[in-house]
Amino acid sequence: MIDLRSDTVTRPTDAMRAAMASAEVGDDVYGEDPTVLALEERVAGLFGHEDALFTPTGSLANVLAVAALVAPGQEVLCEARAHIARAELGAHGAINGLTMRTWSHPRGQLDLAAIEDLFAPDLGPFFVRTTAISVENTHNFAGGTVVPLTDLKALRAFADGQGVAVHLDGARIWNAHVATGTPLAEYGAVADVMAVCLSKGLGAPVGSLLIGSREQMVEARVRRKRLGAGMRQAGILAAAGLHALDHHVDRLADDHANARLLAEACGVDPASVDTNIVAFDRADAPSFVAAARDAGVLISAVGARTIRLVTHLDVGRADAERAAGALAKLVG
Ligand SMILES: *Cc1c(COP(=O)(O)O)cnc(C)c1O
């Protein structure tokens, strides 16, 4: 089976397991795990922020990130298919007590005119107040699309003008960085708080980081513990992340090339594939997924009609070619 359901399905390499096995550890709830501290410092630095906080999942990093910016009873604006809106099981309402309104873009892009229309300043006890705007880069359900830096900078300027915060869901910001050559710090500069994943394309078994100011991380550390996610000798996991940063960033370009190959096989314009995700609509999505499985390729339906294929560390060129051949037969 060639598994293209997600880039979360990767298994740690032998070298990554060795790095984990030899990690120096301590109790991170006491702030004494040197490997966790090293990872947090390194990732904060990569994005030009003061501090970072290691979390077990990207969903938790997003919940903590948005909570750092939006108080209960206030709202965050995001794209309609954003992970925070669709795939975090309502956590931002259920846990953070905030509301969301959305704009829609077929490629998950920013739409500043729509955002300006939605934006609600503090009008007293009449309307929900917008206190953050969230952007996802790359955009998962829109097909791994990159949000251009110029658009992010325009959003930053709007946010500064209105005194509203920007949250960046950078679960796959590494892919955007490799696809465009944009320095990570340039992405970091547009966000007040951001979240990044180590367990997607980077191939770590577990782990994400919340990134922002020292003050925000102090508060987020309290919220993380309150939610039961204070981890002890987590350096075992952080070591996988450090190893991934050393060895698995540049190779994302291979995943992007494989995704374009698969797109072509599925009748999707490869030029529309920015990174490692191919998304396209088919009326027969569930039966197409089943037929692909019968042909030895696991793919997923991420909506009633939307098919998604994701390339990753455990799918080499030969596997991608084999999957492309099988899918081309089904599409043809
Ligand atoms: C995967 C993902 C997350 C975090 O997911 P977890 O499975 O909770 O780690 C957040 N945002 C986006 C866009 C994602 O694709």
Side-chain angles (χ1 to χ4, degrees):
M1 278 291 181
I2 299 168
D3 196 344
L4 302 173
R5 288 172 302 168
S6 175
D7 46 9
T8 57
V9 301
T10 57
R11 296 187 175 88
T13 60
D14 289 344
M16 182 179 277
R17 286 173 193 260
M20 296 171 75
S22 64
E24 247 191 275
V25 297
D27 190 327
D28 185 54
V29 173
Y30 292 164
E32 291 173 2
D33 189 301
T35 309
V36 171
L37 294 174
L39 176 67
E40 290 173 344
E41 191 182 331
R42 178 164 171 192
V43 172
L46 286 175
F47 292 95
H49 282 259
E50 278 180 349
D51 204 359
L53 184 73
F54 190 49
T55 62
T57 66
S59 294
L60 182 60
N62 275 339
V63 165
L64 296 175
V66 178
L69 306 175
V70 184
Q74 299 177 343
E75 73 178 4
V76 58
L77 306 180
C78 62
E79 204 277 329
R81 286 171 298 166
H83 197 277
I84 65 165
R86 273 203 71 202
E88 294 172 13
L89 290 304
H92 297 268
I95 296 169
N96 286 342
L98 54 88
T99 61
M100 290 177 175
R101 282 184 302 146
T102 59
W103 73 91
S104 292
H105 190 288
R107 284 178 58 79
Q109 296 293 303
L110 286 166
D111 179 343
L112 204 50
I115 291 168
E116 286 174 12
D117 277 348
L118 287 166
F119 176 75
D122 187 2
L123 293 173
F126 302 101
F127 295 101
V128 176
R129 178 180 166 198
T130 308
T131 43
I133 301 163
S134 179
V135 55
E136 187 172 309
N137 191 19
T138 67
H139 195 298
N140 181 345
F141 298 124
T145 46
V146 171
V147 180
L149 188 64
T150 47
D151 292 357
L152 293 167
K153 285 184 169 166
L155 174 69
R156 181 72 260 173
F158 171 76
D160 286 343
Q162 297 291 349
V164 65
V166 173
H167 163 245
L168 171 58
D169 179 353
R172 295 187 182 80
I173 196 73
W174 321 103
N175 297 83
H177 159 66
V178 167
T180 63
T182 303
L184 295 172
E186 295 240 17
Y187 287 132
V190 302
D192 292 283
V193 180
M194 57 186 294
V196 301
C197 287
L198 304 168
S199 58
K200 303 277 170 76
L202 295 196
V206 174
S208 288
L209 290 112
L210 171 71
I211 304 162
S213 69
R214 211 167 305 284
E215 203 178 317
Q216 285 165 333
M217 294 309 109
V218 168
E219 185 58 31
R221 196 172 288 278
V222 174
R223 290 201 179 97
R224 184 185 66 172
K225 185 73 167 69
R226 185 177 291 137
L227 292 170
M231 298 183 288
R232 303 294 178 170
Q233 285 72 33
I236 294 271
L237 303 173
L242 287 165
H243 178 86
L245 291 173
D246 286 336
H247 301 285
H248 295 171
V249 175
D250 293 341
R251 64 150 304 285
L252 292 171
D254 301 342
D255 295 345
H256 300 172
N258 289 338
R260 287 191 294 272
L261 177 79
L262 289 159
E264 203 155 16
C266 294
V268 174
D269 178 5
S272 72
V273 175
D274 290 347
T275 58
N276 70 325
I277 303 179
V278 183
F280 54 97
D281 283 351
R282 282 186 70 99
D284 63 344
S287 57
F288 187 76
V289 170
R293 192 196 312 117
D294 291 342
V297 184
L298 296 175
I299 60 176
S300 36
V302 293
R305 285 187 313 272
T306 308
I307 301 283
R308 190 188 70 169
L309 285 65
V310 189
T311 55
H312 53 78
L313 187 58
D314 289 1
V315 175
R317 188 66 181 182
D319 280 342
E321 281 169 359
R322 216 149 52 79
L327 292 169
K329 262 187 220 149
L330 292 181
V331 169

